Amino acid sequence: MTWWAVIAILAAVAIWPFAVEALRPRMNRTRREAAPGQFTTLSQGVTHYQWHGPEDGPVAVCVHGLTTPSFVWGPVAEELAQMGYRVLTYDLYGRGFSDRPRSEQDSAFFLRQLDDLLEDQGVTGEITLLGYSMGGAIASAFAAEQAGRLRQLVLLAPAGLGHDLGPVADMAVKYNFLGRWMMLGFYAKSLRRATESERGGHAHIDRIVDLQIAETRMKGFAPAVLSSLRGILDEDLDDAHRAIAAAGTPVLAIWGEKDDVIPLTCKDTLAEWNPQARQAVIPDAGHALAYTHPDAVMAAMKPVL
């Protein structure tokens, strides 16, 4: 084999993940025609959102996590609506039916989307804010900055207190070009394999595995995940949780006993940062507790809601 052949092979290997990403299907108007809910154009792009429940109910806003869009809230949102809440769910940028802006996905980025959406929808009074996984980090950052807008904060397996997203994600954060190369080339496949292992489980969302896998095949998904890993998920939320405690915002944190993404030891960290926070543990639940154990999650919520 000649040196030119070796160079050509190495070049092909180097550009392969970027070529695959460039050829992935885009989120477009045709795909959005089949989406439930509505769309609005905010300062950073188009955002997909849905309202659930009575129009005159107290407002609850649900923020989803790193990889699964707003449909992850289905069972919980339905229960909240039945309790009389007016529930707002939406897709974070880079996920679901929302746009894929090329921006650093730090807390400021996500708080701007949430601020924009609340203003766009005319939400001015106090809200109950719920955050799941990475959404817990976003909700906590929002609560720390705008405590006066919150009636209460509910966190499900919240990020920002320690997490384990696997070796590919870990290396993607540590190394610049190599991390991006690995993320585009291997993360989607790794996530699909992990998601496939949950098929046949006790999910309360129809076709949840198929919907999650479909996300990984869309253009802009892996870059968004990488940007979040290097952004909000790499931020220290110690000060945020201490600010929430100082403001006296009521907090309920719900954990999965067998969560291997956001381990139960994070419960102790939150207790240190915010001793006033109420905490509950769902027995036998993993990180998917929002849709595998929604009844237990709601049972933990109802005393404070």
Side-chain angles (χ1 to χ4, degrees):
M1 182 180 293
T2 66
W3 280 109
W4 286 113
V6 172
I7 292 171
I9 291 172
L10 292 176
V13 170
I15 67 172
W16 160 69
F18 301 94
V20 170
E21 173 64 19
L23 294 173
R24 292 192 187 280
R26 295 174 178 270
M27 180 52 58
N28 54 34
R29 183 177 298 178
T30 301
R31 293 180 182 277
R32 285 172 173 157
E33 288 176 353
Q38 296 173 283
F39 295 87
T40 185
T41 301
L42 305 177
S43 65
Q44 299 173 106
V46 173
T47 293
H48 169 243
Y49 68 94
Q50 286 182 270
W51 282 105
H52 318 255
E55 292 187 2
D56 59 349
V59 174
V61 181
C62 300
V63 189
H64 70 77
L66 179 66
T67 62
T68 305
S70 58
F71 61 74
V72 76
W73 285 109
V76 171
E78 182 179 345
E79 287 286 334
L80 289 172
Q82 290 177 3
M83 290 176 62
Y85 279 86
R86 186 181 183 219
V87 185
L88 176 62
T89 60
Y90 68 102
D91 289 338
L92 297 172
Y93 291 125
R95 291 91 174 163
F97 293 100
S98 290
D99 272 354
R100 274 82 169 138
R102 295 182 179 180
S103 302
E104 181 182 354
Q105 296 197 356
D106 55 11
S107 57
F109 172 81
F110 287 117
L111 295 193
R112 183 175 175 185
Q113 183 185 20
L114 180 51
D115 265 329
D116 284 352
L117 183 59
L118 293 176
E119 181 179 0
D120 180 82
Q121 295 299 296
V123 178
T124 56
E126 286 187 335
I127 63 173
T128 293
L129 185 60
L130 299 92
Y132 175 29
S133 193
M134 184 180 78
I138 296 169
S140 298
F142 185 92
E145 286 193 3
Q146 304 193 46
R149 300 186 67 178
L150 264 63
R151 177 183 178 188
Q152 55 200 339
L153 176 65
V154 179
L155 304 172
L156 273 63
L161 299 101
H163 53 261
D164 181 4
L165 299 174
V168 174
D170 187 52
M171 291 188 68
V173 173
K174 291 181 178 178
Y175 304 102
N176 192 6
F177 176 82
L178 178 60
R180 186 171 180 82
W181 183 86
M182 290 184 64
M183 197 72 179
L184 294 181
F186 300 101
Y187 180 73
K189 184 177 180 180
S190 173
L191 183 59
R192 285 195 292 270
R193 184 167 56 249
T195 304
E196 226 11 286
S197 68
E198 297 180 358
R199 193 180 294 277
H202 300 288
H204 290 245
I205 298 176
D206 290 339
R207 299 179 54 250
I208 179 70
V209 171
D210 293 332
L211 292 171
Q212 290 171 320
I213 288 176
E215 279 294 302
T216 68
R217 303 189 189 282
M218 294 300 298
K219 183 178 177 64
F221 171 79
V225 171
L226 176 58
S227 186
S228 292
L229 291 172
R230 293 175 172 176
I232 190 167
L233 291 178
D234 199 39
E235 295 178 13
D236 185 353
L237 293 185
D238 183 336
D239 289 343
H241 283 285
R242 294 185 189 277
I244 293 168
T249 303
V251 176
L252 170 65
I254 304 174
W255 310 90
E257 179 187 31
K258 298 181 178 179
D259 193 336
D260 58 1
V261 177
I262 309 290
L264 191 55
T265 52
C266 294
K267 175 175 176 286
D268 298 330
T269 303
L270 180 60
E272 178 186 347
W273 292 351
N274 184 354
Q276 293 90 356
R278 297 180 61 169
Q279 304 204 59
V281 178
I282 308 300
D284 298 321
H287 193 62
L289 72 169
Y291 56 88
T292 59
H293 294 71
D295 293 341
V297 168
M298 289 306 304
M301 284 189 199
K302 284 180 179 179
V304 302
L305 295 180

